[in-house]
Amino acid sequence: MSDRRAVGFFDSGVGGLTVLREVIRRLPNESTIYIGDNARAPYGPRTDEEVKRFSAECLDELASRDVKAIVVACNTSSAVALPDLRLRYNMPLLGVVRPGATAAALATRNRRVGVIGTAATIRSHAYFQAIKEEDPFVEVIEHATPDLVPLVEAGRLEGPLVEDVVRRSIAPITDSDCDPDTLLLGCTHYPLLASIFRDIVGPDVAVIDTATATASALAHLLEMHDLNAPAGEPAQHVQLTTGDVAAFEVIAERLFGTDFTQVERVAVAGAA
Ligand code: DGL
């Protein structure tokens, strides 16, 4: 059995393309429809109510396009809205928190994990809980790093200034007595700064990104539900944005190269 329908992806903006990129690499037969709610991004400073409402409006759009499964690629939405979203749709939904938490719990040897993310993600303690569910003996230190998304959105991915901001942002974790040997990047944008994180924390700390872990989890999920796309048929990839198409293309191109430039504007309820 196979299913040629697309997999839906949702993020607050362009950051979820880090997850999409890993999925296309890992599952080249799968077609995808990606929606970025750029008109209302960033979600990190939003209230839980806003994150839940905006997420549902975007997922309604994906569901109306007959996707076979949805990846909530946004960490903030996964952390805050996933339980509500699961009740709303009758199809497999995959968030990024669980795959990232599992990967971190497996990676740590001293059973200490540092987690960074947006203010809303850290406030939810979703990563804390998910890691504890994997292994209750893992100590988890969480810290919000709100300065990093604006940096990435501005296309600043390297250089001394960026290194300085990253170093200061994670200092409460790196300087803590907890001394974690694993750093979990709990935000779509952070994989784009992965080499800077690695340089700062050094070779003894594993840097885990949720994009890679989520691509593996999606492969399992499609297999489990008998939803794999047939082999040998070309995959189609569509990107939708609630915001400005040109702005989406510019930032996607700046961050990822020219792969994601067939973007269409979509009006979802609430963000029209
Ligand atoms: N996509 C968000 C996340 O992964 C980061 C950007 C935002 O704050 O909307 O948490």
Side-chain angles (χ1 to χ4, degrees):
M1 275 267 291
S2 59
D3 191 326
R4 57 171 55 82
R5 290 178 300 159
V7 177
F9 288 77
F10 160 62
D11 182 43
S12 55
V14 293
L17 294 175
T18 54
V19 180
L20 182 68
R21 184 175 58 175
E22 282 306 316
V23 167
I24 291 175
R25 207 177 276 164
R26 166 124 200 197
L27 300 168
N29 295 326
E30 296 298 335
S31 293
T32 66
I33 303 176
Y34 178 100
I35 184 166
D37 193 8
N38 297 74
R40 299 180 291 191
Y43 281 12
R46 298 268 186 191
T47 65
D48 290 3
E49 271 321 301
E50 285 175 317
V51 173
K52 286 179 189 177
R53 181 159 52 85
F54 297 173
S55 301
E57 286 166 359
C58 289
L59 262 64
D60 282 355
E61 178 64 32
L62 289 174
S64 77
R65 291 173 185 246
D66 194 28
V67 294
K68 61 186 175 187
I70 294 177
V71 178
V72 178
C74 179
N75 288 255
T76 304
S77 175
S78 294
V80 172
L82 198 61
D84 288 19
L85 294 171
R86 282 200 199 285
L87 295 176
R88 195 175 169 96
Y89 306 97
N90 188 20
M91 71 176 93
L93 246 62
L94 179 66
V96 289
V97 170
R98 173 70 54 183
T102 305
L106 287 172
T108 182
R109 284 145 292 135
N110 71 0
R111 285 205 159 115
R112 293 177 204 156
V113 173
V115 180
I116 53 173
T118 66
T121 296
I122 298 304
R123 185 176 67 229
S124 75
H125 300 299
Y127 274 108
F128 179 92
Q129 275 155 17
I131 294 170
K132 290 283 188 191
E133 279 164 26
E134 286 294 324
D135 181 346
F137 298 105
V138 172
E139 199 176 326
V140 183
I141 172 168
E142 303 172 288
H143 184 65
T145 48
D147 293 341
L148 302 185
V149 166
L151 209 63
V152 173
E153 292 275 337
R156 310 197 72 152
L157 305 181
E158 56 192 16
L161 178 128
V162 181
E163 284 163 24
D164 190 50
V165 177
V166 173
R167 191 182 306 280
R168 278 190 287 112
S169 292
I170 62 172
I173 288 186
T174 49
D175 296 352
S176 80
D177 292 339
C178 176
D179 198 22
D181 71 355
T182 301
L183 178 67
L184 177 52
L185 308 183
C187 175
T188 46
H189 289 56
Y190 302 172
L192 293 159
L193 300 169
S195 59
I196 296 184
F197 284 114
R198 281 195 198 96
D199 287 349
I200 292 172
V201 297
D204 295 335
V205 176
V207 176
I208 306 291
D209 80 69
T210 54
T212 314
T214 302
S216 303
L218 179 64
H220 284 300
L221 183 124
L222 294 179
E223 187 78 47
M224 209 164 65
H225 290 271
D226 240 346
L227 289 174
N228 287 313
E233 289 183 20
Q236 316 279 334
H237 303 290
V238 176
Q239 292 89 49
L240 310 170
T241 175
T242 59
D244 182 63
V245 169
F248 185 104
E249 287 179 350
V250 166
I251 182 151
E253 186 172 337
R254 202 191 287 152
L255 300 180
F256 301 93
T258 51
D259 291 341
F260 301 107
T261 52
Q262 282 157 17
V263 186
E264 296 164 24
R265 184 162 190 285
V266 68
V268 303

